[in-house]
Amino acid sequence: MKEVLIEVKDLSVQYTSEGKEIKAVNNISFQVNKGETLGIVGETGAGKTTTALAIMRLIQTPPGKIRNGSVQFDGKDLLQEKESVLRKVRGNKISMIFQDPMTSLNPVYTVGDQIAEVIWLHEKVSKTEARKKAGSILELVGIPAERGSEYPHEFSGGMKQRVGIAIALACNPQLLIADEPTTALDVTIQAQVLRLMTNLKEKLNTSMILITHDLGVVSEVCDKVAIMYAGEIVEYGTLEEIFRNPSHPYTQGLFNSIPNMNKKVRRLTPIVGLMPDPTEIPSGCSFHPRCPKAMKECKSMKPGNIQLNGEHKVSCHLFDETVVRGRVETNEPSTP
Amino acid sequence: MFRFVMKRLLMLIPVLIGVSLIVFTLMQLTPGDPAQIMLGPQASQEDIENMREQMGLNEPIYVQYFKFLFGIVTLDFGRSIQDGQAVITKIFEHLPATLKLTFAAMVVAIAIGVPVGIISATRQYSFFDHTSTIGALVGFSMPNYWLSLMLIIIFAVNLNWLPVSGYGGMVFLILPAIALGTQTAAVIMRMTRSSMLEVLRSDYIRTARAKGLTERAVIYVHALKNALIPIITVVGLQVGVLLEGAILTEAVFSWPGIGRFMVDAIRAKDFPVVQGSVLFIAFLFVMVNLLVDVLYAYIDPRIKAQYK
Ligand SMILES: Nc1ncnc2c1ncn2[C@@H]1O[C@H](COP(=O)(O)OP(=O)(O)O)[C@@H](O)[C@H]1O
Ligand code: SF4
Ligand SMILES: [Mg+2]
C-alpha cells in the first residue's frame, strides 16, 4: 500500500456572483499518493482550478467560499489551520503552476528576483544566496542564469512558463499542482514544457496533480485519473482502468471526441450540449440532459459513488444494481 | 535613460510652441490697447502712436509673434506695464511661495489619498471603504474657496490654533495646504482604490499568494508598484489643478504667490505679466509631466523598453 500524501474529502466551494450562488465544486473527494501523479480532466468550467486553489486555500473570499470539506496533508487539515501555517505550506510544500504564463508573473520585477523571493522566504538563506540558487534553478529549467536579470516581457510564453515551473519547484515541494500548464502555449512548445515538468518531478520525487482537458497528456503523464463534470468527480481510477474501461457516459464521450489514429472513425462524436449553468445544476445526475444513456431515474435521483474493480469508481445509475434491477423488474427500456 | 529624457525633452518643443501660440492669440483677442493702458487715459493720440511704435505693436502680427517667441526662449517676457520691471524677475519673486503651497498641498493629498485608497481596496465594501468613499465625495464636491473659509472660521477664528492668513513659517502653510489639497486627495484616493482593486485581481497576485507571502508583502511589494502608474498619472495632472486652485487659495489666504500676482495683473490689464506668468506655469506643468513620464519608465520596465 502506498503512502497517502494528501487527502481531500467532501470539498465544496461556491462563488457568489450578482446575488447568485455558483456551485463550482460539489462534495468531491480524492487522494494523491507519494510520488504519484493524479490527472484531473474536465471541460472549462468543471471546477478544476477552483479545486486546486481550494487545496492551497487561495480561493478569494468574496466572491468564493469553501463551504465544506477537509484537506489532510502532513497530519493537518489545511482548511482548518491558521493563515500562518498555510503560508509555510504554500510555495514550499505545495506549489502551483498556473494556466496563463503571460499574466502569472509580476511585470515589474525581474524573473530572477521572483524566483529568489520564494527561496528566501522559505529557506532562511540570505538574499544573495537565494539569488544564486535562483540562477541554478533557471539553468535547471533550461534558461541561462544570466537571464535572471531580465523582466517577464523579455521572455516568450514558453520561457515564462519555464520560469513558472522554476518558481514552483524552487523549494522542492512535496506536491506540485499544475493547472493546465501548457494550454496557453504553442502546440510545438507544449510537449517541451510538459517533458521538462515531468522530468523534474521525477528527479525531485514530487507528487503531482495535473489539471488538463487533454486525455493525450494524461495518458503520458498520469498514474491516476479523475474525471470532473459540473463540480463533481464522476469517474476515478488508475490510468489503465480509465483508458481500458471508461465507464461513465461522460468519460466515454470525452474519449469519443478525440481523434483516434488506430480506429477508422469517420467523424468525431463530440458530447452534445453544453456544460450546465453552474447556478442551476440539473437535478439528479447533473449530466442527464446531455447523457445518451439517461434513464427516468437519472432526472430525479443523484447517483452514488459505485465501486467497480480495483480503485475504479463511477457515479452513474447504470452501475447501480438496485436501479438496474428495478428497471428489469418493471420492464422499462434502459434508453428512453 | 538619458536618451529617454532627451527624447521627451524634444517632444516638449511642439507643446510649448502650441501654448505660446494660444497665449499670444488670446492676448491679441483681448480688448484694450496696451499702449493706451500704459500711458493712462490722459495720453494724447500722438503719444499713444509713438508708444505703439516703440512696443512693436504696429509690426505685422507674425513678426510680433516671432519676437514674442524669441523672448520666451531667452526668458525675456518683456516688462510690466504697471512698473516697468522685467516680468521674469517678478515671476521669480512670486514663484517660491506658489511652489511651496502647491507642494504642501500635494503632500497632504498624497499622504491621505494613497494610504486610504489602498486600505479601501484591500477591504472592499467594508465600513472603512464606504466611509472613505463618502468622504472622498464630500471632499471632492467642496468648493476650494468655501473650504478655505470654513477652515479659517473653525481653526483660526474659533479655535485660534492657526493664523487666519499671511506668509511665513509652517503654521501659515497648514490651512491653505489642506484647503488646496483636499480635492486632490479625494481624486488620488479614488484612483488608488480602483487601480489597486484591478491589480489585486490579476494573476500575478495569485502567484504571489501561492508563494506563501504575507498579505502585507503581497499588497505593498507586488500590488502597489503595479498600481502606481495610473496613480502617478493622476498626481501629474493634479499638479495643473493645484496650480489653478492656488490662484483662489492665495487670494483667500493673502498668500504672496504667482496666483495672486496674476489676478492683480489681469485687473490692471498688464499684458506682459499675464502672458509671462501663464507661459511659465504652462512650462512648469509640462516639466512635471516629463518627470511623470520618467517615473513611469523607472517603475515599469515595459515602458522603459519602448525607449531603448
Ligand atoms: N472568481 C470567481 N467568481 C465567480 N465565479 C467563478 C470565479 N472563479 C470561477 N468561477 C466559476 O466557477 C466555476 C468553476 O470554475 P473553474 O474552477 O475556473 O473551472 P475550470 O478550471 O475547470 O475551468 C465556473 O462556472 C466559473 O464561472
Ligand atoms: S446517471 Fe444516468 S444520466 Fe447520469 S451518466 Fe449515468 S446514465 Fe447518464
Ligand atoms: Mg481552469
Side-chain angles (χ1 to χ4, degrees):
Chain A
M1 193 75 196
K2 287 213 170 148
E3 221 179 319
V4 177
L5 176 70
I6 187 164
E7 181 167 24
V8 175
K9 255 198 184 142
D10 302 324
L11 179 69
S12 294
V13 185
Q14 291 183 4
Y15 295 99
T16 318
S17 162
E18 289 157 10
K20 280 189 182 158
E21 296 267 277
I22 298 170
K23 296 186 169 163
V25 171
N26 305 304
N27 257 306
I28 67 169
S29 304
F30 60 87
Q31 61 184 48
V32 182
N33 295 330
K34 283 198 175 146
E36 279 185 358
T37 297
L38 167 71
I40 300 184
V41 185
E43 288 166 275
T44 302
K48 306 181 297 293
T49 301
T50 304
T51 305
L53 291 173
I55 291 174
M56 296 177 83
R57 224 169 74 195
L58 283 173
I59 301 279
Q60 278 267 51
T61 314
K65 191 158 176 43
I66 298 175
R67 289 280 161 182
N68 186 36
S70 66
V71 176
Q72 287 294 333
F73 178 82
D74 240 5
K76 298 180 191 114
D77 179 358
L78 296 186
L79 300 188
Q80 303 303 326
E81 293 294 334
K82 282 188 299 200
E83 262 300 300
S84 58
V85 175
L86 262 292
R87 281 201 298 269
K88 292 204 179 81
V89 173
R90 293 181 194 135
N92 186 23
K93 292 180 176 161
I94 303 179
S95 57
M96 193 159 167
I97 299 172
F98 294 96
Q99 181 168 353
D100 190 353
M102 303 312 278
T103 55
S104 292
L105 297 175
N106 195 328
V108 302
Y109 293 108
T110 64
V111 301
D113 281 350
Q114 291 186 59
I115 301 168
E117 182 181 39
V118 72
I119 300 169
W120 169 78
L121 186 69
H122 293 296
E123 301 199 340
K124 309 283 164 256
V125 293
S126 70
K127 292 205 172 173
T128 356
E129 219 167 307
R131 278 221 186 81
K132 233 171 74 193
K133 192 166 171 207
S136 58
I137 290 168
L138 265 180
E139 298 271 355
L140 199 64
V141 298
I143 297 174
E146 311 89 74
R147 295 203 65 186
S149 59
E150 291 178 23
Y151 290 92
H153 74 266
E154 296 166 86
F155 291 80
S156 67
M159 291 292 234
K160 277 187 203 165
Q161 196 58 304
R162 284 166 189 266
V163 174
I165 294 170
I167 292 174
L169 293 178
C171 293
N172 219 335
Q174 291 166 273
L175 178 66
L176 176 66
I177 305 176
D179 184 7
E180 307 201 32
T182 58
T183 307
L185 302 179
D186 283 352
V187 186
T188 45
I189 302 183
Q190 287 187 357
Q192 273 179 30
V193 170
L194 196 69
R195 208 172 314 122
L196 170 75
M197 221 172 60
T198 46
N199 283 348
L200 288 176
K201 171 209 162 261
E202 298 278 294
K203 209 190 259 177
L204 303 170
N205 195 27
T206 313
S207 308
M208 177 155 83
I209 296 177
L210 178 67
I211 294 172
T212 176
H213 51 239
D214 186 342
L215 284 167
V217 169
V218 171
S219 70
E220 279 172 45
V221 179
C222 299
D223 304 300
K224 304 281 168 63
V225 185
I227 310 285
M228 233 179 142
Y229 184 79
E232 289 168 27
I233 292 178
V234 293
E235 186 165 1
Y236 173 88
T238 62
L239 184 69
E240 228 188 78
E241 285 162 347
I242 299 287
F243 275 66
R244 283 263 168 87
N245 185 22
S247 300
H248 194 282
Y250 178 66
T251 315
Q252 291 170 352
L254 285 180
F255 275 101
N256 288 336
S257 63
I258 46 172
N260 191 324
M261 293 305 209
N262 305 324
K263 286 187 215 155
K264 279 210 181 110
V265 192
R266 299 210 68 175
R267 223 156 44 106
L268 302 177
T269 353
I271 306 163
V272 288
L274 295 170
M275 274 270 294
D277 176 355
T279 55
E280 278 168 65
I281 291 180
S283 60
C285 170
S286 51
F287 187 55
H288 84 256
R290 296 170 78 183
C291 181
K293 296 180 181 165
M295 306 169 285
K296 202 179 73 199
E297 291 83 352
C298 300
K299 223 178 210 167
S300 53
M301 257 165 65
K302 195 155 198 63
N305 228 335
I306 295 142
Q307 182 84 40
L308 305 176
N309 324 314
E311 297 191 48
H312 203 167
K313 278 187 232 161
V314 62
S315 50
C316 169
H317 288 313
L318 289 174
F319 302 88
D320 187 335
E321 304 228 332
T322 57
V323 173
V324 177
R325 203 181 309 124
R327 300 191 67 83
V328 172
E329 276 161 15
T330 50
N331 265 336
E332 269 181 82
S334 65
T335 36
Chain B
M1 206 61 188
F2 176 73
R3 278 188 53 189
F4 168 72
V5 175
M6 287 317 286
K7 250 185 203 170
R8 297 300 323 223
L9 277 172
L10 283 178
M11 281 162 77
L12 291 184
I13 293 173
V15 174
L16 286 172
I17 289 180
V19 172
S20 71
L21 258 175
I22 292 169
V23 171
F24 184 76
T25 314
L26 280 178
M27 295 315 280
Q28 289 296 321
L29 294 176
T30 319
D33 181 351
Q36 164 98 61
I37 291 160
M38 206 158 169
L39 295 172
Q42 275 86 30
S44 72
Q45 198 55 44
E46 204 174 319
D47 287 342
I48 292 175
E49 208 32 61
N50 283 338
M51 195 62 192
R52 285 184 63 84
E53 195 61 45
Q54 206 184 321
M55 289 172 79
L57 293 174
N58 289 334
E59 289 181 73
I61 219 123
Y62 63 90
V63 175
Q64 288 189 42
Y65 174 68
F66 279 112
K67 280 193 167 167
F68 171 66
L69 198 61
F70 182 75
I72 294 171
V73 177
T74 53
L75 277 183
D76 175 9
F77 296 116
R79 292 182 173 277
S80 162
I81 293 181
Q82 295 168 92
D83 58 11
Q85 260 190 303
V87 171
I88 191 72
T89 330
K90 301 191 92 166
I91 289 175
F92 278 132
E93 217 168 88
H94 291 90
L95 195 64
T98 298
L99 289 185
K100 206 163 147 186
L101 176 59
T102 312
F103 184 76
M106 190 53 94
V107 168
V108 168
I110 291 174
I112 296 171
V114 172
V116 173
I118 292 174
I119 298 171
S120 272
T122 54
R123 301 186 200 160
Q124 196 185 6
Y125 305 135
S126 67
F127 178 72
F128 183 93
D129 185 28
H130 289 304
T131 315
S132 65
T133 300
I134 294 168
L137 193 67
V138 172
F140 186 74
S141 21
M142 271 190 297
N144 197 331
Y145 65 90
W146 183 82
L147 178 62
S148 303
L149 291 175
M150 282 301 133
L151 288 173
I152 290 175
I153 290 171
I154 296 170
F155 294 101
V157 178
N158 287 348
L159 294 171
N160 210 5
W161 287 351
L162 294 161
V164 172
S165 67
Y167 186 68
M170 275 295 283
V171 281
F172 291 97
L173 193 55
I174 295 172
L175 288 186
I178 293 173
L180 183 57
T182 298
Q183 269 190 2
T184 298
V187 174
I188 292 177
M189 185 241 132
R190 293 307 285 174
M191 182 47 91
T192 305
R193 179 181 182 274
S194 67
S195 178
M196 277 300 276
L197 277 177
E198 197 182 317
V199 169
L200 285 171
R201 269 196 288 270
S202 57
D203 286 350
Y204 54 83
I205 293 302
R206 195 171 59 183
T207 308
R209 291 205 175 100
K211 283 176 170 178
L213 290 165
T214 60
E215 199 52 25
R216 218 187 163 74
V218 169
I219 291 165
Y220 291 96
V221 179
H222 283 268
L224 186 57
K225 197 168 173 194
N226 280 283
L228 274 181
I229 297 278
I231 299 172
I232 290 172
T233 309
V234 163
V235 167
L237 293 173
Q238 285 291 314
V239 170
V241 175
L242 288 184
L243 285 171
E244 183 195 308
I247 298 177
L248 273 177
T249 314
E250 286 176 4
V252 176
F253 287 94
S254 313
W255 192 262
I258 208 163
R260 225 185 67 189
F261 170 62
M262 253 170 78
V263 172
D264 291 346
I266 291 170
R267 282 213 193 96
K269 288 209 187 261
D270 194 341
F271 293 78
V273 168
V274 177
Q275 272 181 346
S277 315
V278 169
L279 271 171
F280 205 86
I281 288 177
F283 174 73
L284 266 185
F285 184 59
V286 164
M287 288 314 284
V288 167
N289 279 286
L290 169 67
L291 190 72
V292 164
D293 285 352
V294 173
L295 271 177
Y296 284 167
Y298 182 72
I299 290 170
D300 193 332
R302 288 165 300 184
I303 296 174
K304 196 170 178 177
Q306 288 169 10
Y307 291 95
K308 278 246 169 83

